[in-house]
Amino acid sequence: MTEFDRKAKDWDQSPVKTERAQAVAGAVARRVPLSRGMRALEYGCGTGLLSFALRRRLGRITLADSSEGMLAVLSEKIAGAGIRNMFPLRLDLTTDPPPPERYGLIYSLMALHHIPDTAGILRAFFSLLEENGFACIADLDSEDGSFHGGGFDGHRGFDRGELQALAVRAGFRKVAFDTVFRMRKQTERGVREFPLFLMTAEKPGGRS
């Protein structure tokens, strides 16, 4: 059982997680021309808080995560609400073959800093997008490690310029950043505020 499997049952009990997802959903909607005809993939979906906030604006949504515990909670939520356009999928793009579907939108919230190979996952997202599709990634700005504390071996947030360069190298264009939320969190050094950005990027295609 992973850390996320253990945390899954109580994940939605934190009001800040719901507030964060709502803020990011609003920013995605401002940046991307969403439609009910758009197929979407949420990567690192957890219990699906972001997709629940976006579901009425999108068509079929695939919600991918590697945590069985998170997907179990998500499946219960989908069934309990009678939702018909959200479909959980166990997927780890760092080890599993990519799904056959292509998407008009791929988005993630607080997942990128857990993935060691940032350049690799951006390339994977690019390959899974349709032409003129959008990637929307919400995550932490660079921080000193206080967010997770000692023992965390993921990224300590991201420098926006460096992440933009990786996205361009993966093939994306029109890469833009907005600060969309500020998390206040108790750390070993007291209560700290951590800004979250939304990076939006487009996959080139036929339209100009």
Side-chain angles (χ1 to χ4, degrees):
M1 180 177 287
T2 69
E3 176 188 3
F4 287 108
D5 290 333
R6 290 190 294 271
K7 291 180 176 179
K9 190 172 182 180
D10 298 322
W11 190 259
D12 291 2
Q13 300 306 309
S14 169
V16 71
K17 290 187 174 69
T18 300
E19 184 183 359
R20 182 176 68 187
Q22 293 288 345
V24 172
V28 171
R30 289 190 295 273
R31 277 288 187 175
V32 177
L34 305 179
S35 76
R36 293 303 300 267
M38 181 178 275
R39 292 191 303 272
L41 169 69
E42 180 178 6
Y43 189 71
C45 64
T47 62
L49 289 171
L50 181 52
S51 285
F52 269 84
L54 288 169
R55 66 185 178 85
R56 290 187 175 89
R57 299 172 180 263
L58 295 168
R60 179 186 175 92
I61 305 173
T62 300
L63 295 96
D65 206 289
S66 60
S67 166
E68 296 283 6
M70 289 290 186
L71 292 173
V73 171
L74 171 62
S75 296
E76 290 176 5
K77 288 169 61 176
I78 292 172
I83 295 171
R84 300 193 176 190
N85 70 324
M86 295 169 68
F87 301 90
L89 173 67
R90 190 187 183 287
L91 177 68
D92 183 345
L93 286 172
T94 67
T95 56
D96 299 329
E101 293 83 7
R102 293 297 176 264
Y103 306 95
L105 172 66
I106 296 174
Y107 53 92
S108 71
L109 170 56
M110 297 294 282
L112 194 67
H113 68 266
H114 291 280
I115 301 169
D117 185 1
T118 306
I121 199 66
L122 290 173
R123 290 193 299 269
F125 288 169
F126 187 86
S127 69
L128 288 170
L129 282 171
E130 301 168 347
E131 290 188 355
N132 303 312
F134 296 85
C136 292
I137 295 171
D139 218 299
L140 294 163
D141 279 303
S142 296
E143 49 96 13
D144 61 4
S146 299
F147 187 85
H148 285 286
F152 180 67
D153 60 358
H155 300 282
R156 295 181 173 184
F158 296 93
D159 175 271
R160 297 186 186 192
E162 292 176 1
L163 187 57
Q164 180 179 17
L166 289 177
V168 170
R169 203 171 302 154
F172 288 102
R173 66 176 185 182
K174 296 184 179 178
V175 182
F177 289 84
D178 297 290
T179 300
V180 294
F181 193 70
R182 295 182 183 275
M183 283 188 64
R184 290 179 61 81
K185 182 176 180 180
Q186 181 68 47
T187 74
E188 296 172 354
R189 302 179 185 181
V191 177
R192 301 278 301 276
E193 184 174 87
F194 298 91
L196 268 67
F197 63 79
L198 178 70
M199 182 184 82
T200 53
E202 295 184 33
K203 179 173 181 173
R207 65 174 172 81
S208 59

